[in-house]
Amino acid sequence: PTGMEVVRRIEGRGFFDVTMMQWAFYDAFGLMPGEIVKVIGGHQPEIDVPQEALKGDAGKRRKRAGLRLLRRIWNFPATSKPAIDAQLALARRYAKVDWAAKSRSELAAAFRELLDAQHKFLPVAGLANSCSGPWDRALRMFLNDDTLVARLQTGGGGVASAEQGYRLFDVAVGRATVEDFLAEFGHRCVYEADLINPRWSEDSLWVQQQIEAIRSDSGFRNPRTAAAELRHCAEQEVLDRFGWKARLILWIARRLRAANATRENAKTALVALAFPVRLIAREVGRRLVAESRLQHVDQVFDFTFDDLLCWLREEWDGTGADALTQDRIERRNRWRQIKVPDLITEQAAGSFISAPDTHSRIADGAWQGIAISPGTAGGPARIIRTPLEAARLREGDILVAPSTDPGWTPLFLRAKAVVMETGGFLSHGAIVARE
């Protein structure tokens, strides 16, 4: 509906309207709120909806929509590959440009091309986020065993965010070089969604530290081998237990692994263009410092895209840029001091209050959550709030993290198990951890 907000910034954080999201998926496809809550993370109240989602005229509409979506994503790993490859090729081409030698109009043209390419790619990324759903549901329907479903998803290969972990192991054991690693993954970094963070191609110190951590453990096992063995055992279990259905189940499992890989690869392609955008922004920052409009280059990351575009199109000469960005930096620092609850509820007057804590606690004081992968592990629980604290994680620790992005992947190699505060069964962190 007009005026409905999917996401709103509150105290500097982006909050999704999970109530509206539950209704949207129910109304579009007949997916029950409980299914959506599990994917989101499992701690939001479920909304009340009619249980007969697929009956009547509304049910027919939802079935038709579901079939259209299924046709679109049936072979999405193959149909999306050209778009993903083109996105990555554009990022690699622009990563080699000497931006200092470009005119202001050339910078503007490149910036516009990058934004246009990103905008066109968004539907691909969106469908990549959805393409694993049907295969996941089908596999669960056949197996009714979350542990077996998870084991069938390990060690499939081709998951970009996991590959960077595998490649670090290769560098550590001498099968590849740091230069090889940076040529493929240099556009990534810890907390890569924020342009202010240097990419690994610009500063590889953190990468070097992870390589040394792997080298320091003489008993470190090839992670590819361990994951593949786990999957092979699961596949044999399917063959032993399910008779004539086994081949169909294993085919569905392969489709699910391919869909999960596509989800991660599309996210990689989406983030890849952030690197040349960052480089263009830094060049703008350098020129504004030279003109005494800014005090230091990284103030440019407190510009909005509109600010940046106005300067590039010569609609603004940068007057007042220092005061503007200093104000925003002060605001960001204030936001960082505020602890905002994970779940909030909007009141009739438009104000927000913290929602009741819906986490369930077991009697002995342990926390209960969603199992994203099978197994039992014991060890010291090491709370790591950011990958920059990676040096504190020792081999055999249980990694406990607020959330994860691809920058955390090297830590997964050293952890005996992973506990994440936020995320769902199909979240990026879950997919990479299982792989």
Side-chain angles (χ1 to χ4, degrees):
T2 301
M4 181 71 76
E5 292 178 284
V6 180
V7 65
R8 186 187 300 182
R9 186 176 67 184
I10 300 168
E11 302 292 0
R13 282 81 170 172
F15 278 85
F16 281 93
D17 186 341
V18 293
T19 304
M20 188 273 289
M21 289 169 67
Q22 290 178 56
W23 172 257
F25 282 104
Y26 172 84
D27 191 44
F29 305 112
L31 292 172
M32 299 307 291
E35 296 179 67
I36 304 305
V37 166
K38 184 175 181 181
V39 171
I40 294 171
H43 298 307
Q44 294 76 33
E46 296 176 25
I47 64 172
D48 292 325
V49 296
Q51 295 300 302
E52 305 296 336
L54 300 179
K55 291 189 176 181
D57 291 340
K60 291 177 183 177
R61 169 177 59 79
R62 291 169 183 143
K63 288 177 182 177
R64 289 194 299 270
L67 286 172
R68 286 198 303 274
L69 178 61
L70 189 60
R71 280 198 299 270
R72 184 74 186 274
I73 65 177
W74 181 260
N75 197 29
F76 199 68
T79 58
S80 63
K81 190 175 185 303
I84 292 173
D85 289 346
Q87 190 92 338
L88 291 170
L90 178 62
R92 283 192 291 269
R93 174 163 61 87
Y94 268 142
K96 299 174 183 177
V97 170
D98 178 9
W99 297 110
K102 298 296 181 182
S103 67
R104 195 158 163 178
S105 62
E106 288 173 323
L107 291 177
F111 192 78
R112 187 75 264 168
E113 182 183 359
L114 289 165
L115 294 188
D116 288 346
Q118 196 80 318
H119 183 74
K120 290 175 184 175
F121 188 74
L122 287 176
V124 177
L127 285 170
N129 272 340
S130 308
C131 70
S132 60
W135 307 114
D136 183 74
R137 294 183 77 188
L139 200 57
R140 291 176 193 285
M141 181 185 69
F142 274 109
L143 298 181
N144 193 29
D145 183 340
D146 284 353
T147 295
L148 187 53
V149 169
R151 283 158 54 208
L152 287 168
Q153 292 178 64
T154 64
V159 179
S161 304
E163 284 298 318
Q164 64 194 36
Y166 291 150
R167 302 298 171 78
L168 282 177
F169 177 84
D170 290 343
V171 175
V173 299
R175 285 202 294 261
T177 66
V178 173
E179 289 72 26
D180 295 332
F181 177 87
L182 294 176
E184 188 165 359
F185 302 106
H187 65 279
R188 311 205 80 161
C189 70
V190 174
Y191 297 130
E192 61 192 3
D194 194 337
L195 290 181
I196 201 169
N197 295 319
R199 311 291 117 165
W200 287 331
S201 286
E202 299 171 281
D203 183 356
S204 63
L205 176 61
W206 190 81
V207 172
Q208 302 273 7
Q209 290 171 341
Q210 306 320 303
I211 293 167
E212 289 306 314
I214 295 172
R215 283 176 178 160
S216 66
D217 179 16
S218 58
F220 200 92
R221 191 180 177 204
N222 189 328
R224 285 189 186 90
T225 304
E229 285 178 0
L230 187 63
R231 190 188 77 250
H232 292 326
C233 289
E235 290 170 343
Q236 187 59 52
E237 183 178 337
V238 170
L239 291 170
D240 293 341
R241 286 175 52 188
F242 293 94
W244 65 269
K245 294 180 182 177
R247 297 296 175 186
L248 175 59
I249 291 170
L250 293 179
W251 177 78
I252 294 171
R254 286 194 296 273
R255 299 300 293 262
L256 176 57
R257 289 197 297 271
N260 282 338
T262 298
R263 188 170 195 257
E264 289 306 297
N265 297 345
K267 181 176 184 287
T268 297
L270 197 67
V271 168
L273 293 195
F275 188 22
V277 167
R278 171 182 158 82
L279 295 176
I280 292 173
R282 278 188 60 82
E283 179 57 30
V284 172
R286 277 192 288 270
R287 297 185 190 192
L288 288 171
V289 169
E291 296 171 2
S292 300
R293 305 289 192 186
L294 293 176
Q295 296 179 43
H296 55 84
V297 170
D298 280 357
Q299 281 178 264
V300 76
F301 295 116
D302 281 284
F303 279 8
T304 64
F305 269 154
D306 286 336
D307 295 337
L308 208 51
L309 282 170
C310 283
W311 187 89
L312 288 167
R313 292 191 299 228
E314 301 189 43
E315 298 168 355
W316 175 47
D317 65 359
T319 300
D322 182 59
L324 177 69
T325 55
Q326 292 292 354
D327 182 63
R328 289 175 180 165
I329 290 167
E330 289 175 12
R331 180 181 62 178
R332 178 153 45 86
N333 289 335
R334 286 198 305 272
W335 280 339
R336 280 176 171 164
Q337 304 305 314
I338 300 171
K339 182 167 177 56
V340 180
D342 296 325
L343 190 63
I344 57 179
T345 302
E346 187 171 15
Q347 303 302 292
S351 61
F352 291 89
I353 63 168
S354 177
D357 184 2
T358 57
H359 295 63
S360 54
R361 200 187 275 272
I362 304 174
D364 63 2
W367 287 104
Q368 181 177 350
I370 297 170
I372 61 166
S373 199
T376 302
R382 190 79 57 190
I383 297 174
I384 305 292
R385 299 190 182 278
T386 162
L388 300 178
E389 300 175 2
R392 295 179 48 242
L393 185 72
R394 299 181 177 89
E395 179 69 23
D397 283 353
I398 310 297
L399 169 61
V400 183
S403 64
T404 62
D405 77 345
W408 289 81
T409 305
L411 279 71
F412 289 178
L413 300 181
R414 304 208 300 276
K416 199 170 185 181
V418 181
V419 179
M420 290 175 278
E421 186 179 24
T422 58
F425 195 85
L426 295 178
S427 67
H428 296 287
I431 290 171
V432 176
R434 280 194 295 268
E435 170 66 17

